[in-house]
Amino acid sequence: MSENKKTNIILFSGEYDKAMAAYIIANGAAAYDHDVTIFHTFWGLNALRKDEKLRPQKSFMEKIFGKMMPHGAKNLPLSKMNFAGIGPKMIKSVMKKHNAMPVEDLIDMAKEQDVTLLACTMTMDLLGIKQEELMDGLEYGGVAAYIAEGEDGAVNLFI
Amino acid sequence: MEIAKTLDAKGLACPMPIVKTKKAIDDVESGEILEVQATDAGAKSDLAAWTKSSGHELVDTKEEGGVYTFYVKKG
């Protein structure tokens, strides 16, 4: 077993600002030499969706869910002041001014730093999200996979 | 003070100064000094906390015209 400390984050939310917080913490913890895992469940899975319209075999309900949910990190809404999509544009322009990294870049950086990105298979089934709709380089698991990491986590967060 | 490597993290926002510092420290040998320049005000406490917990030593810091300079001795 590795001697590094562990940081475990459950990303339940599907909003841009919350995903940003999760990924900033993940990257910071990786810089602390922690073994970092982000467990994406429910709406948090949308941060991992590819920004393309794929047409995997789906039921009627799954198709509706698929259309209603955002495709990927850069299309996530804000948790506050979304203003029908104007809010995210505003925050992104402010972020650019302050040199803050967009969430999609933070995800790439996390992968580069060997952060484990776990996708919850149970909620993928509920929301009708197929593996081919999610980005490459993910691991798939359930509560046990999360607990295995979380039980000796120095930092455990639910976002 | 002999500086083995200088990292320019000016203009970068959290968490980049610490992520870049982590990468840069891997390039210097134990006992050598890494110089880090940053403009993010949070970098001051971030660098101090990070060096402490990752076994390095923050030898000196200075601030000039909004630029923070840190001298980190690798542990």
Side-chain angles (χ1 to χ4, degrees):
Chain A
M1 215 182 90
S2 131
E3 287 164 29
N4 293 343
K5 288 183 179 169
K6 290 186 177 182
T7 287
N8 303 289
I9 299 166
I10 300 178
L11 182 58
F12 177 94
S13 308
E15 284 96 10
Y16 191 90
D17 41 352
K18 295 191 181 184
M20 188 169 162
Y23 272 91
I24 287 178
I25 296 166
N27 278 296
Y32 262 76
D33 272 330
H34 285 199
D35 293 335
V36 186
T37 302
I38 307 180
F39 184 72
H40 300 74
T41 185
F42 276 93
W43 319 112
L45 288 166
N46 290 325
L48 304 175
R49 284 180 96 194
K50 290 176 186 160
D51 185 19
E52 50 191 285
K53 305 273 184 291
L54 296 162
R55 299 197 182 279
Q57 199 64 35
K58 285 192 180 189
S59 71
F60 176 70
M61 198 73 102
E62 288 174 342
K63 275 183 195 157
I64 305 254
F65 272 142
K67 278 207 189 331
M68 284 167 58
M69 295 187 301
H71 285 79
K74 69 176 176 192
N75 298 312
L76 299 177
L78 282 184
S79 67
K80 296 275 188 296
M81 307 201 302
N82 191 52
F83 300 137
I86 297 166
K89 289 200 175 76
M90 285 161 65
I91 198 102
K92 280 171 201 171
S93 99
V94 175
M95 281 167 58
K96 209 169 188 175
K97 200 175 132 205
H98 291 276
N99 262 323
M101 277 176 101
V103 175
E104 52 275 27
D105 293 359
L106 287 166
I107 295 176
D108 288 342
M109 172 83 55
K111 283 178 166 174
E112 225 175 87
Q113 295 204 84
D114 293 324
V115 171
T116 303
L117 304 184
L118 249 175
C120 166
T121 50
M122 194 279 276
T123 41
M124 282 172 67
D125 288 345
L126 289 186
L127 302 174
I129 297 173
K130 312 289 176 197
Q131 284 200 14
E132 62 259 42
E133 292 178 87
L134 299 182
M135 60 171 68
D136 300 329
L138 304 181
E139 288 183 24
Y140 295 88
V143 63
Y146 172 73
I147 297 296
E149 301 299 325
E151 66 176 351
D152 43 23
V155 178
N156 284 301
L157 295 172
F158 184 95
I159 298 178
Chain B
M1 187 162 33
E2 200 176 316
I3 287 144
K5 188 183 166 82
T6 297
L7 169 70
D8 181 3
K10 294 196 288 290
L12 298 178
C14 176
M16 293 317 293
I18 225 64
V19 170
K20 295 238 176 191
T21 303
K22 156 80 174 84
K23 280 186 184 163
I25 203 94
D26 290 340
D27 294 340
V28 304
E29 303 292 329
S30 180
E32 285 184 340
I33 305 274
L34 170 71
E35 180 186 36
V36 182
Q37 297 166 336
T39 47
D40 176 24
K44 206 172 172 182
S45 43
D46 276 10
L47 256 293
W50 177 83
T51 44
K52 197 174 160 196
S53 111
S54 27
H56 310 300
E57 188 192 340
L58 190 56
V59 186
D60 199 10
T61 59
K62 63 177 186 198
E63 187 197 342
E64 257 175 33
V67 179
Y68 300 91
T69 309
F70 307 91
Y71 300 94
V72 182
K73 188 177 184 181
K74 184 169 180 173

